[in-house]
Amino acid sequence: MENSPVLVAPSLLAANFLELGKDVEMVNRSEADWFHLDVMDGRFVPNISYGLPVIAQIKKKARKPCDVHLMIEEPEKYAADFKKAGADILTVHIEACVHLHRNIQQIKGLGMKAGVALNPHTPVGWLENVIRDIDVVLIMSVNPGFGGQTFIEQTYHKIKQLRQLINDSNAHALIEVDGGVGPENAALLVKAGANVLVAGSAIFSSADPEKTIISLKTGAQ
Ligand code: DX5
Ligand code: ZN
């Protein structure tokens, strides 16, 4: 796993919503691997983003998998709707799931890859009993809710702990890191054990987004 190439997932939260089609085409053209789509409900996180109709439109143009990050309470109520809208990977927050095992089975039963996200304060050990059932673990490296925040340095330690847990459990989950990721920390994150790098502002605020995506993939600054 450590030797496989790093995947890059641009977060469209930082895209230009008036020209969303253009930004979707840029990701299609680029070396990026997934579309990262952030859904916020104003309850689990103190912000509201976009939802099902927007994702359904993105899906019509997207030529890469749609990685949907649900920052919402009661995600089980909407899993089937997100499948319908075009989610290929559906990630729920462990802090929002009372019956996490059931939620994971539901997502996989609907034909999607199952992801579980961890807030910065949430211990990696909470995943011990489900790690073999998960396709992706999303480590939040900022507090969820907003783009453009500062990367939390403790994340490196968490990634290493998670890599150890995955290896010890003979699990296959990919480690995805989300928040404050850019060319300046990409190489270190991959070295710690990350497989997927999510980046919003680093990509969409850069003068040359396609070049920034390549920098994230190669670890070049
Ligand atoms: C934050 C979202 C992120 C966000 C990352 O809650 O989950 O995906 O878009 O934005 P940057 O890369 O700007 O920190
Ligand atoms: Zn996200």
Side-chain angles (χ1 to χ4, degrees):
M1 191 68 82
E2 273 108 322
N3 292 327
S4 47
V6 63
L7 306 180
V8 173
S11 166
L12 292 191
L13 193 63
N16 176 359
F17 292 148
L18 275 179
E19 302 277 6
L20 197 49
K22 283 190 187 166
D23 283 342
V24 171
E25 283 307 340
M26 183 282 290
V27 175
N28 279 338
R29 253 190 341 260
S30 76
E31 299 285 313
D33 299 276
W34 298 348
F35 285 86
H36 185 83
L37 306 173
D38 291 297
V39 179
M40 305 177 186
D41 66 354
R43 294 178 70 213
F44 180 70
V45 288
N47 196 11
I48 297 175
S49 58
Y50 51 78
L52 292 158
V54 173
I55 291 177
Q57 293 303 316
I58 292 170
K59 184 66 179 180
K60 286 186 191 165
K61 285 203 165 206
R63 295 200 305 271
K64 295 174 181 181
C66 289
D67 171 36
V68 176
H69 176 192
L70 294 184
M71 286 160 273
I72 67 172
E73 291 182 2
E74 300 181 295
E76 66 281 358
K77 286 192 181 168
Y78 304 98
D81 293 332
F82 280 102
K83 166 69 183 171
K84 225 178 182 177
D88 298 287
I89 304 151
L90 194 66
T91 295
V92 294
H93 265 265
I94 195 166
E95 304 85 3
C97 294
V98 178
H99 302 288
L100 182 67
H101 185 274
R102 178 185 287 153
N103 298 349
I104 293 165
Q105 301 311 318
Q106 178 198 26
I107 292 167
K108 296 206 293 192
L110 287 163
M112 296 177 282
K113 301 264 188 211
V116 176
L118 265 52
N119 277 339
H121 75 281
T122 303
V124 158
W126 281 25
L127 292 171
E128 192 181 332
N129 294 299
V130 290
I131 191 69
R132 284 170 63 94
D133 301 312
I134 305 175
D135 299 297
V136 177
V137 177
L138 190 160
I139 301 262
M140 284 306 306
S141 38
V142 298
N143 284 294
F146 302 92
Q149 301 182 81
T150 305
F151 178 85
I152 297 171
E153 296 287 324
Q154 173 73 6
T155 306
Y156 295 115
H157 177 64
K158 277 183 86 170
I159 296 170
K160 287 179 196 157
Q161 284 182 319
L162 177 57
R163 175 57 61 207
Q164 188 73 45
L165 176 65
I166 290 171
N167 288 348
D168 292 349
S169 318
N170 209 7
H172 68 271
L174 295 174
I175 302 179
E176 181 173 23
V177 185
D178 184 6
V181 174
E184 68 290 350
N185 53 20
L188 278 174
L189 290 167
V190 173
K191 195 171 164 223
N195 305 111
V196 187
L197 302 179
V198 175
S201 38
I203 291 174
F204 290 98
S205 304
S206 94
D208 188 342
E210 289 181 62
K211 209 169 149 196
T212 303
I213 289 168
I214 293 172
S215 306
L216 287 164
K217 284 200 88 114
T218 59
Q221 293 198 30

